[in-house]
Amino acid sequence: MQFEMNYEAGKDFTKVTFTADLFKMKQSIIEILRTTFERIGAIDNKNGTFMFPVFIDSSVIKTIIRNTCFVCGGLMKDDNKLSLPFINSNQCSVKLFKDNKVRKCVQCGHSHT
C-alpha cells in the first residue's frame, strides 16, 4: 500500500494529509496507526488528515507506517529469505541461491518485498 503525504507547515503544527485511501484498510489497522500517531502528539481530524507537532520529522511518520503490518497491525521487521535454485533446461544454467530482503511481521508472519 502506497501513501502520499502532503505537508502544510504551521507555527505549532504540521498538517499532514494522506492522499492514499487510508480508509480502505482494516478498521483495526487504522486504529493502530491513529493510536501510534496520537502517542507522538498528533491530532486526528478524522478525514485522513493529522496535525503533528512541528518537531516531528516526516521520517518518523514514514517509519511508523513502514513498520506497521497492514494485515494485523503488528511490527514489521527486515528479514532475509533465500530463494530456491533455478535451473533453466534450455540454457543448462543454474542460478545460485539468492538473498532477498523482505519485510516480515513478527506477529502474524505476513511478508512483502
Side-chain angles (χ1 to χ4, degrees), residues 31-107:
E31 290 305 317
I32 288 169
L33 285 173
R34 276 188 181 132
T35 302
T36 306
F37 289 159
E38 288 171 357
R39 285 183 183 156
I40 61 170
I43 299 169
D44 183 4
N45 290 341
K46 305 289 184 194
N47 59 358
T49 301
F50 291 84
M51 302 295 282
F52 289 90
V54 292
F55 58 83
I56 299 296
D57 187 55
S58 64
S59 63
V60 173
I61 301 166
K62 290 175 185 177
T63 300
I64 291 170
I65 293 169
R66 185 173 185 267
N67 289 332
T68 301
C69 175
F70 294 146
V71 174
C72 74
L75 177 65
M76 297 293 284
K77 288 193 168 187
D78 289 328
D79 192 15
N80 289 331
K81 177 181 166 186
L82 290 176
S83 60
L84 297 175
F86 173 73
I87 300 172
N88 186 342
S89 59
N90 293 340
Q91 298 175 352
C92 297
S93 63
V94 177
K95 189 175 186 180
L96 298 177
F97 288 97
K98 184 179 177 186
D99 193 21
N100 294 323
K101 291 190 179 204
V102 297
R103 304 279 295 156
K104 187 171 183 112
C105 178
V106 297
Q107 194 167 338

Side-chain angles (χ1 to χ4, degrees), residues 11-25:
K11 183 179 178 186
D12 297 321
F13 284 90
T14 302
K15 180 179 175 183
V16 178
T17 304
F18 294 97
T19 55
D21 197 351
L22 185 67
F23 301 102
K24 284 186 178 178
M25 298 172 65

